[in-house]
Amino acid sequence: MARAAEGFRRFAAADARLERSIARDFYAHPDVHEIGRRMDEIAGDLGTMG
């Protein structure tokens, strides 16, 4: 049982590292900021339509 718990702990730690790496790469990409800006612009336009 202790071996399974250790394996799960190691898996969870590796999963957390991978998630942080993906998030860091995603938010560092220059297109992300442009996409966010355009989404805000569209949301503003939709808000003034109704």
Side-chain angles (χ1 to χ4, degrees):
M1 190 67 165
R3 227 173 123 187
E6 174 64 17
F8 180 77
R9 186 191 65 75
R10 291 178 67 189
F11 171 78
D15 185 54
R17 285 192 304 273
L18 178 61
E19 188 174 322
R20 285 191 303 273
S21 174
I22 290 169
R24 183 176 52 244
D25 291 346
F26 178 77
Y27 288 112
H29 197 284
D31 289 346
V32 169
H33 302 290
E34 176 63 18
I35 292 167
R37 188 190 66 73
R38 294 285 310 272
M39 288 174 65
D40 288 343
E41 189 177 290
I42 292 167
D45 290 346
L46 291 175
T48 59
M49 290 173 62

